[in-house]
Amino acid sequence: VRDVIYTASASTSTLAEVTLFAGVAGAFNDLIEITCANATGAAVTISVRDATGAGVTKTIAIAANGTESRDFPVPVPQGVAADTWTIQNAGSGDISTTVVTCSALFVRNV
C-alpha cells in the first residue's frame, strides 16, 4: 500500500547521532533501503540505529568520495514503536570536513 512507504534524508558532519527518520506514536517504521554518499576524500563508516542511543542496527563502510547502498528484501524491523532512526559517523578525531548524506525508505507498520 503506497501510503505506508516513507522516505527520509539526513546529513552528518560530526560524531553526534543525527535523526534520519522521526518516530510516530504507535507505529513501527521498518527499514527497506538506505543509500549513503560520502562527499569527502576520507573513507568513513556510518552507524545506523533504530532508536536514539540504541545499539547499532547496521554499519555501512563508505569509500572516499563513494556511495554505498543496502537493499533489504525483508525489512529491518524497528525494535520499539515510535522510536527515531538515526545515523552517526563512527569515526574518531576531527571529522569536521567529512560530510555524509544518507537517504532511506521505510515501511510503516501499525
Side-chain angles (χ1 to χ4, degrees):
V1 178
R2 189 173 191 176
D3 64 345
V4 298
I5 303 296
Y6 295 87
T7 61
S9 182
S11 294
T12 180
S13 61
T14 70
L15 295 174
E17 276 186 88
V18 175
T19 296
L20 176 61
F21 192 72
V24 174
F28 291 93
N29 296 295
D30 300 335
L31 181 62
I32 299 172
E33 184 271 338
I34 187 166
T35 300
C36 295
N38 178 4
T40 59
V44 298
T45 299
I46 294 294
S47 297
V48 180
R49 293 180 172 83
D50 68 349
T52 303
V56 174
T57 303
K58 296 290 177 190
T59 302
I60 303 171
I62 312 164
N65 298 304
T67 301
E68 287 294 326
S69 184
R70 302 285 188 277
D71 295 313
F72 307 105
V74 175
V76 178
Q78 187 171 35
V80 176
D83 273 339
T84 297
W85 284 86
T86 66
I87 57 171
Q88 182 177 20
N89 189 323
S92 60
D94 181 8
I95 62 159
S96 59
T97 60
T98 303
V99 178
V100 177
T101 301
C102 295
S103 59
L105 286 174
F106 294 89
V107 61
R108 180 162 298 155
N109 294 295
V110 292

